[in-house]
């Protein structure tokens, strides 16, 4: 039975490969290429052959699912110790989602921002969608030099 890696959870005690339904099917020391990485600080106890019960990881899997449906490139999901979520796309552009509530709405806002202003990935340092009613983005700082 071949399993398809939906995401890789990376923590201090290794990497866990997950299916889209949350089933942990492999533990390894290094993350394989290609699947989005869910980065966590500290150790995590996950059992191979059982679905994850972690709310932050379940939220991250939902983000991966929505990003795939919306054809949004997603490289890494970082979950900090208090549960705030930040996405990194293939570039150095960061998407701050905050707490794992209203994920569908926040991902919809991201999709609309990328459709209305595709250059935001190149021009922006980050977009903050942690408060869906007041999204904000920060332009990259560029240094001006005299010639």
């Amino acid at each position: 039975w071949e399993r398809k890696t939906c995401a890789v959870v990376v923590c201090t005690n290794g990497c866990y490969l997950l299916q889209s339904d949350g089933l942990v099917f492999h533990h390894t020391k290094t993350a394989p290429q290609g699947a989005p990485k869910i980065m966590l600080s500290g150790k995590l106890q996950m059992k191979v052959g059982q679905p994850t019960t972690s709310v932050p990881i379940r939220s991250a899997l939902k983000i991966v699912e929505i990003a795939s449906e919306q054809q949004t490139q997603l490289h890494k999901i970082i979950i900090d110790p208090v549960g705030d979520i930040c996405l990194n796309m293939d570039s150095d552009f960061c998407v701050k989602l905050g707490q794992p509530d209203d994920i569908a709405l926040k991902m919809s806002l991201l999709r609309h921002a990328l459709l209305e202003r595709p250059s935001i990935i190149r021009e922006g340092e980050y977009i903050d969608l942690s408060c869906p009613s007041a999204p904000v983005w920060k332009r990259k700082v560029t240094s001006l030099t005299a010639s």
Side-chain angles (χ1 to χ4, degrees):
W1 180 297
E2 188 170 344
R3 302 200 182 270
K4 184 173 186 220
T5 304
C6 171
V8 179
V9 174
V10 180
C11 56
T12 57
N13 56 322
C15 302
Y16 296 92
L17 280 57
L18 302 175
Q19 292 183 162
S20 60
D21 62 0
L23 179 76
V24 180
F25 68 90
H26 188 66
H27 179 246
T28 182
K29 291 184 181 189
T30 59
Q33 297 294 321
K37 294 175 183 68
I38 302 171
M39 312 295 289
L40 298 168
S41 59
K43 286 188 176 184
L44 185 63
Q45 295 302 320
M46 298 178 80
K47 293 186 179 184
V48 174
Q50 295 184 4
T52 181
T53 58
S54 166
V55 173
I57 293 173
R58 287 275 181 193
S59 298
L61 288 173
K62 183 68 176 170
I63 291 167
V64 171
E65 176 187 347
I66 293 170
S68 177
E69 289 170 359
Q70 296 177 347
Q71 298 177 346
T72 301
Q73 291 294 325
L74 182 61
H75 177 67
K76 184 172 30 177
I77 301 171
I78 301 167
I79 304 172
D80 71 15
V82 296
D84 285 336
I85 299 173
C86 182
L87 312 180
N88 286 83
M89 302 173 102
D90 281 335
S91 65
D92 58 353
F93 186 67
C94 178
V95 180
K96 298 178 180 185
L97 295 180
Q99 290 293 303
D101 53 358
D102 297 324
I103 294 294
L105 173 60
K106 292 173 183 178
M107 291 299 290
S108 175
L109 290 170
L110 173 61
R111 174 94 170 125
H112 288 292
L114 294 174
L115 287 174
E116 289 181 23
R117 189 179 188 128
S119 63
I120 195 171
I121 293 175
R122 193 176 58 258
E123 297 170 356
E125 185 176 319
Y126 67 82
I127 185 168
D128 189 338
L129 303 171
S130 57
C131 178
S133 62
V136 64
W137 72 284
K138 180 179 178 185
R139 186 178 297 276
K140 287 181 183 173
V141 177
T142 55
S143 60
L144 299 175
T145 57
S147 51

